[in-house]
């Protein structure tokens, strides 16, 4: 049950959103009360940043205004980039800022960082803040490689924070920097991880394209492949880096950002399912991929799309939806407590002109009828106390789909981030069970 204190906080956040006074309140109280509850966890998990450290940094941020927000977080990114730069120079390598040049060849960087590749490859869904220190103690000869790699990962993470949630010039600049650092690291270290990683752009019409990473085992031939998509303001790095820890499962993965976000030109609509269909077309046409063994996993708003595509694209054999949205989350009651920055992000993503238009566009996204058409295995995951979307949507989807399993984590929030290590292992097993070749041992 929601406590009176929690309800009062949500009403305050809503009042500030309705009166457009969030920025004024943030200058006095800081930005933390006006952010999703899981904000700190998601970036700490990606960057391996200690909760107390990131919490202290977050407490010092006092504005959502583009230049002040992005500048504040980019200062931390610059500190870690400088740390990486010093370590790279000791290794005789390129300067860290050279990596941001689109003409830079990642090959030489991979040779320098390969001795510490596990810092990137094995971090998983929740990166351990102590992993680098422990690695350096056990492998002193690879200390500079580890420090450089850790610095670059933290730099791209803080650039991601600076970019969140997109839609303004300096945020989009930070997004491109974060994306480039992630791209360079993945391409540079793919051989050391025993992987093929390709930066892919798929044309989808109207001058727009899907930008993603295709990650395959070396020597891939007709391998089962997973299409992974994130939500409203997630990036490729947030999806791709945690999935590296599953590289030994014999599967391929294509990671993409949700239409209507960061790098897309056109807004999100129900017709955006055609974009996902074109991505599946691309995967099915690749001879390294088994077109009869394609699965999909989505997180948050991306989970909405994994449910929708499970209902509409017969080429999917299995799907996972973590924190999905449907008609309850798109209704007016769920907007209580939604921060102003999230309301504006939703409006921009859906191309809404005003509040009434946003409500109409959200209603058009309802999955109520589509869920009854899902016949493939579907795993639905969420926290039982989701403060961002309605947990009841997860329950309704699992009830309506014919072959669904529902896992709710008690006292956990949106996407069950407090149990991320458990559900990531559960998801991997579920997908392997349903995408394994007939007669193959899992």
């Amino acid at each position: 049950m929601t406590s009176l204190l929690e309800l009062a906080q949500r009403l305050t956040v809503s009042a500030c959103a309705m009166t457009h006074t969030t920025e004024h309140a943030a200058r006095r109280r800081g930005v933390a009360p006006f952010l999703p509850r899981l904000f700190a966890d998601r970036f700490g998990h990606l960057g391996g940043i200690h909760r107390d450290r990131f919490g202290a940094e977050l407490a010092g941020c006092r504005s959502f205004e583009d230049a002040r927000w992005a500048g504040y977080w980019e200062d931390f990114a610059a500190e870690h980039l400088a740390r990486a730069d010093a370590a790279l120079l000791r290794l005789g390598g390129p300067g860290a800022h050279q990596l941001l040049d689109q003409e830079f060849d990642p090959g030489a960087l991979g040779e320098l960082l390969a001795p510490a590749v596990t810092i990137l490859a094995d971090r998983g869904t929740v990166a351990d803040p102590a992993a680098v220190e422990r690695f350096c103690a056990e492998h002193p000869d690879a200390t500079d490689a580890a420090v450089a790699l850790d610095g670059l990962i933290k730099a791209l993470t803080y650039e991601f924070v600076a970019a969140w949630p997109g839609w303004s010039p300096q945020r989009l600049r930070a997004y491109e920097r974060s994306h480039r650092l992630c791209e360079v690291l993945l391409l540079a270290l793919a051989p050391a991880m025993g992987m093929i990683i390709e930066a892919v752009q798929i044309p989808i019409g109207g001058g727009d394209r899907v930008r993603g990473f295709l990650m395959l085992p070396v020597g891939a031939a007709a391998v089962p492949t997973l299409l992974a998509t994130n939500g409203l303001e997630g990036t490729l790095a947030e999806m791709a880096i945690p999935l590296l820890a599953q590289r030994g499962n014999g599967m391929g993965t294509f990671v993409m950002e949700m239409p209507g976000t960061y790098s897309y030109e056109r807004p999100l609509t129900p017709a955006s399912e055609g974009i996902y269909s074109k991505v599946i077309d691309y995967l099915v046409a690749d001879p390294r991929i088994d077109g009869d063994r394609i699965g999909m996993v989505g997180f948050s708003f991306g989970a909405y799309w994994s449910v929708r595509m499970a209902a509409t694209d017969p080429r999917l054999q299995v799907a996972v939806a973590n924190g999905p949205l449907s008609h309850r989350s798109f209704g007016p009651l769920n907007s209580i407590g939604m921060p102003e920055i999230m309301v504006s992000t939703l409006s921009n993503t859906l191309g809404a002109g005003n509040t009434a238009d946003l409500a109409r566009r959200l209603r058009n996204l309802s999955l109520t009828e589509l869920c009854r058409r899902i016949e493939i295995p579907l795993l639905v995951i969420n926290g039982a106390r989701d403060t961002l979307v309605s947990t009841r949507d997860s329950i309704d989807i699992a009830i309506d789909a014919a072959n669904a399993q529902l896992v709710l984590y008690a006292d956990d929030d949106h996407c069950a981030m407090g149990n991320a290590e458990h559900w990531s292992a559960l998801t991997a097993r579920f997908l392997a069970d349903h995408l394994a070749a007939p007669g193959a041992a899992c």
Side-chain angles (χ1 to χ4, degrees):
M1 295 292 291
T2 302
S3 70
L4 290 176
L5 183 62
E6 289 174 321
L7 180 59
Q9 173 63 27
R10 294 184 69 184
L11 290 173
T12 298
V13 169
S14 289
C16 288
M18 292 174 62
T19 57
H20 302 293
T21 56
T22 299
E23 176 66 16
H24 177 73
R27 297 285 179 100
R28 293 185 293 108
R29 300 176 57 191
V31 298
F34 306 99
L35 290 169
R37 188 174 294 180
L38 296 174
F39 185 85
D41 283 346
R42 68 186 295 188
F43 296 107
H45 289 176
L46 176 63
I49 305 164
H50 195 278
R51 176 190 288 266
D52 291 344
R53 175 171 181 167
F54 193 84
E57 292 165 348
L58 184 59
C61 188
R62 298 273 162 173
S63 176
F64 288 107
E65 189 272 329
D66 191 30
R68 294 185 65 180
W69 170 275
Y72 180 82
W73 294 108
E74 286 199 307
D75 283 346
F76 295 115
E79 290 177 13
H80 290 288
L81 202 62
R83 186 164 62 92
D85 188 63
L88 285 172
L89 290 178
R90 289 194 296 271
L91 291 168
H97 286 278
Q98 291 178 252
L99 312 186
L100 295 167
D101 187 338
Q102 294 295 325
E103 301 301 318
F104 176 77
D105 180 4
L109 180 67
E111 295 177 7
L112 293 177
L113 300 184
V117 67
T118 58
I119 299 297
L120 175 70
D122 295 338
R123 61 200 301 107
T125 307
V126 182
D128 181 1
V132 175
E133 182 179 358
R134 188 165 55 247
F135 177 91
C136 292
E138 295 171 356
H139 308 279
D141 292 344
T143 293
D144 283 334
V147 169
L149 187 48
D150 181 59
L152 293 171
I153 294 170
K154 284 184 167 60
L156 74 86
T157 300
Y158 280 103
E159 290 284 6
F160 177 17
V161 184
W164 187 91
W167 296 107
S168 52
Q170 290 195 229
R171 282 175 166 88
L172 291 177
R173 173 181 172 272
Y175 163 77
E176 291 295 343
R177 288 169 63 88
S178 180
H179 174 81
R180 177 57 182 167
L181 288 173
C182 178
E183 180 179 62
V184 166
L185 287 180
L186 291 179
L187 298 183
L189 287 167
M193 293 186 287
M195 301 176 70
I196 298 168
I197 300 181
E198 298 171 355
V200 173
Q201 296 196 24
I202 304 172
I204 53 176
D208 218 342
R209 84 278 192 249
V210 172
R211 184 160 68 173
F213 295 125
L214 178 60
M215 306 190 294
L216 298 167
V218 170
V223 296
T225 296
L226 176 68
L227 168 57
T229 184
N230 48 18
L232 189 63
E233 16 63 85
T235 64
L236 291 176
E238 189 178 23
M239 290 286 289
I241 292 176
L243 287 170
L244 295 174
Q246 300 176 26
R247 62 194 180 280
N249 63 7
M251 294 174 56
T253 304
F254 183 83
V255 180
M256 63 176 285
E257 293 163 358
M258 187 179 78
T261 60
Y262 291 113
S263 64
Y264 295 91
E265 299 293 332
R266 292 179 293 176
L268 181 78
T269 71
S272 296
E273 73 176 55
I275 296 174
Y276 286 102
S277 291
K278 288 185 178 181
V279 172
I280 296 173
D281 291 342
Y282 178 89
L283 298 177
V284 169
D286 192 319
R288 298 169 296 179
I289 293 171
D290 185 345
D292 293 325
R293 292 190 290 159
I294 304 291
M296 186 168 177
V297 60
F299 296 87
S300 193
F301 215 138
Y304 165 90
W305 288 104
S306 63
V307 173
R308 188 178 185 111
M309 297 308 295
T312 60
D313 198 310
R315 294 171 295 181
L316 290 182
Q317 301 301 306
V318 61
V320 177
N322 189 335
L325 298 75
S326 186
H327 64 289
R328 296 178 190 270
S329 297
F330 296 143
L333 289 179
N334 200 66
S335 65
I336 298 174
M338 182 174 290
E340 183 176 356
I341 194 165
M342 297 306 295
V343 175
S344 64
T345 301
L346 265 176
S347 297
N348 286 325
T349 298
L350 274 69
N354 52 50
T355 303
D357 187 26
L358 175 61
R360 178 183 63 81
R361 289 171 185 263
L362 286 172
R363 285 195 301 272
N364 289 341
L365 290 170
S366 173
L367 291 171
T368 302
E369 299 301 322
L370 284 175
C371 289
R372 298 185 180 95
R373 293 165 49 183
I374 298 174
E375 298 180 353
I376 64 173
L378 172 67
L379 175 62
V380 183
I381 300 169
N382 206 355
R385 299 187 64 188
D386 194 325
T387 60
L388 196 58
V389 306
S390 173
T391 300
R392 184 69 204 187
D393 276 344
S394 297
I395 298 170
D396 291 345
I397 290 167
I399 290 173
D400 289 341
N403 191 14
Q405 298 179 37
L406 174 66
V407 178
L408 294 180
Y409 291 89
D411 298 321
D412 209 342
D413 207 325
H414 186 54
C415 292
M417 290 304 295
N419 289 274
E421 292 181 326
H422 185 274
W423 60 246
S424 61
L426 176 67
T427 297
R429 289 196 302 271
F430 183 82
L431 293 168
D433 287 346
H434 292 288
L435 290 178
C442 296

